Short mmCIF file of all heavy atoms in Angstrom, two decimals:
data_model
loop_
_atom_site.label_atom_id
_atom_site.label_comp_id
_atom_site.label_asym_id
_atom_site.label_seq_id
_atom_site.Cartn_x
_atom_site.Cartn_y
_atom_site.Cartn_z
N ARG A 42 3.55 -47.48 2.20
CA ARG A 42 2.77 -46.27 1.94
C ARG A 42 1.77 -45.99 3.09
O ARG A 42 1.54 -44.85 3.44
CB ARG A 42 2.03 -46.37 0.62
CG ARG A 42 2.96 -46.23 -0.55
CD ARG A 42 2.23 -45.75 -1.79
NE ARG A 42 3.13 -45.28 -2.78
CZ ARG A 42 3.84 -46.07 -3.61
NH1 ARG A 42 3.71 -47.38 -3.54
NH2 ARG A 42 4.72 -45.53 -4.47
N PHE A 65 9.42 -43.51 -2.42
CA PHE A 65 9.54 -44.90 -2.93
C PHE A 65 10.16 -44.87 -4.31
O PHE A 65 9.63 -44.25 -5.21
CB PHE A 65 8.15 -45.54 -2.98
CG PHE A 65 7.53 -45.70 -1.62
CD1 PHE A 65 6.77 -44.70 -1.07
CD2 PHE A 65 7.74 -46.85 -0.87
CE1 PHE A 65 6.19 -44.83 0.19
CE2 PHE A 65 7.21 -46.98 0.36
CZ PHE A 65 6.42 -45.99 0.92
N PRO A 66 11.27 -45.61 -4.47
CA PRO A 66 11.83 -45.68 -5.82
C PRO A 66 10.89 -46.43 -6.76
O PRO A 66 9.91 -47.02 -6.33
CB PRO A 66 13.15 -46.46 -5.61
CG PRO A 66 13.08 -47.05 -4.29
CD PRO A 66 12.06 -46.32 -3.47
N GLU A 67 11.24 -46.43 -8.06
CA GLU A 67 10.39 -46.94 -9.09
C GLU A 67 9.85 -48.33 -8.79
O GLU A 67 10.62 -49.28 -8.64
CB GLU A 67 11.14 -47.05 -10.41
CG GLU A 67 11.17 -45.83 -11.30
CD GLU A 67 9.80 -45.21 -11.58
OE1 GLU A 67 8.87 -45.96 -11.91
OE2 GLU A 67 9.71 -44.01 -11.48
N GLY A 68 8.53 -48.41 -8.67
CA GLY A 68 7.93 -49.75 -8.63
C GLY A 68 8.01 -50.46 -7.29
O GLY A 68 7.50 -51.56 -7.15
N GLU A 69 8.66 -49.88 -6.29
CA GLU A 69 8.77 -50.61 -5.05
C GLU A 69 7.75 -50.11 -4.05
O GLU A 69 7.27 -48.96 -4.15
CB GLU A 69 10.18 -50.42 -4.45
CG GLU A 69 11.22 -51.14 -5.23
CD GLU A 69 12.58 -50.95 -4.58
OE1 GLU A 69 12.63 -50.72 -3.36
OE2 GLU A 69 13.60 -51.03 -5.30
N ASP A 70 7.41 -50.93 -3.09
CA ASP A 70 6.38 -50.56 -2.10
C ASP A 70 6.96 -50.38 -0.72
O ASP A 70 6.24 -50.04 0.21
CB ASP A 70 5.29 -51.63 -2.06
CG ASP A 70 4.32 -51.43 -3.18
OD1 ASP A 70 4.17 -50.26 -3.61
OD2 ASP A 70 3.71 -52.40 -3.64
N GLN A 71 8.21 -50.65 -0.57
CA GLN A 71 8.79 -50.52 0.76
C GLN A 71 10.02 -49.64 0.66
O GLN A 71 10.75 -49.67 -0.31
CB GLN A 71 9.24 -51.92 1.29
CG GLN A 71 8.12 -52.93 1.38
CD GLN A 71 7.20 -52.69 2.55
OE1 GLN A 71 7.61 -52.15 3.56
NE2 GLN A 71 5.94 -53.07 2.41
#
Side-chain angles (χ1 to χ4, degrees):
Chain A
R42 287 205 164 79
F65 295 89
E67 273 309 314
E69 290 182 25
D70 278 332
Q71 301 284 332

